[in-house]
PDB file of all heavy atoms in Angstrom:
ATOM      1  N   ASP A  44       0.897   3.100 -14.914  1.00 75.00           N
ATOM      2  CA  ASP A  44      -0.039   1.997 -15.129  1.00 75.00           C
ATOM      3  C   ASP A  44      -0.628   1.554 -13.804  1.00 75.00           C
ATOM      4  O   ASP A  44       0.095   1.271 -12.850  1.00 75.00           O
ATOM      5  CB  ASP A  44       0.682   0.821 -15.797  1.00 75.00           C
ATOM      6  CG  ASP A  44      -0.288  -0.155 -16.435  1.00 75.00           C
ATOM      7  OD1 ASP A  44      -1.510   0.061 -16.292  1.00 75.00           O
ATOM      8  OD2 ASP A  44       0.163  -1.114 -17.069  1.00 75.00           O
ATOM      9  N   GLU A  64       1.395 -19.107   2.680  1.00 94.00           N
ATOM     10  CA  GLU A  64       1.687 -17.889   3.446  1.00 94.00           C
ATOM     11  C   GLU A  64       3.102 -17.887   4.024  1.00 94.00           C
ATOM     12  O   GLU A  64       3.764 -16.849   4.063  1.00 94.00           O
ATOM     13  CB  GLU A  64       0.675 -17.724   4.591  1.00 94.00           C
ATOM     14  CG  GLU A  64      -0.755 -17.496   4.141  1.00 94.00           C
ATOM     15  CD  GLU A  64      -1.570 -18.773   4.074  1.00 94.00           C
ATOM     16  OE1 GLU A  64      -0.955 -19.851   3.928  1.00 94.00           O
ATOM     17  OE2 GLU A  64      -2.806 -18.700   4.168  1.00 94.00           O
ATOM     18  N   ASN A 201      -4.778 -15.525 -22.876  1.00 71.00           N
ATOM     19  CA  ASN A 201      -5.787 -16.589 -22.820  1.00 71.00           C
ATOM     20  C   ASN A 201      -7.133 -16.083 -23.308  1.00 71.00           C
ATOM     21  O   ASN A 201      -8.177 -16.524 -22.848  1.00 71.00           O
ATOM     22  CB  ASN A 201      -5.901 -17.102 -21.380  1.00 71.00           C
ATOM     23  CG  ASN A 201      -6.586 -18.448 -21.290  1.00 71.00           C
ATOM     24  OD1 ASN A 201      -6.562 -19.214 -22.240  1.00 71.00           O
ATOM     25  ND2 ASN A 201      -7.203 -18.722 -20.152  1.00 71.00           N
ATOM     26  N   ARG A 323     -15.825  19.214  23.298  1.00 96.00           N
ATOM     27  CA  ARG A 323     -15.822  18.059  24.189  1.00 96.00           C
ATOM     28  C   ARG A 323     -17.038  17.174  23.928  1.00 96.00           C
ATOM     29  O   ARG A 323     -18.003  17.596  23.266  1.00 96.00           O
ATOM     30  CB  ARG A 323     -15.823  18.507  25.652  1.00 96.00           C
ATOM     31  CG  ARG A 323     -14.587  19.292  26.073  1.00 96.00           C
ATOM     32  CD  ARG A 323     -14.620  19.561  27.568  1.00 96.00           C
ATOM     33  NE  ARG A 323     -13.500  20.370  28.017  1.00 96.00           N
ATOM     34  CZ  ARG A 323     -12.292  19.893  28.301  1.00 96.00           C
ATOM     35  NH1 ARG A 323     -12.062  18.582  28.173  1.00 96.00           N
ATOM     36  NH2 ARG A 323     -11.327  20.690  28.711  1.00 96.00           N
ATOM     37  N   MET A 372      -4.420  13.437  13.078  1.00 96.00           N
ATOM     38  CA  MET A 372      -5.761  12.862  13.066  1.00 96.00           C
ATOM     39  C   MET A 372      -6.758  14.011  12.962  1.00 96.00           C
ATOM     40  O   MET A 372      -6.802  14.891  13.837  1.00 96.00           O
ATOM     41  CB  MET A 372      -6.005  12.046  14.333  1.00 96.00           C
ATOM     42  CG  MET A 372      -7.361  11.354  14.360  1.00 96.00           C
ATOM     43  SD  MET A 372      -7.613  10.202  12.970  1.00 96.00           S
ATOM     44  CE  MET A 372      -6.683   8.778  13.550  1.00 96.00           C
TER      45      MET A 372
END
Side-chain angles (χ1 to χ4, degrees):
D44 198 357
E64 295 95 336
N201 197 26
R323 297 186 183 277
M372 183 59 79

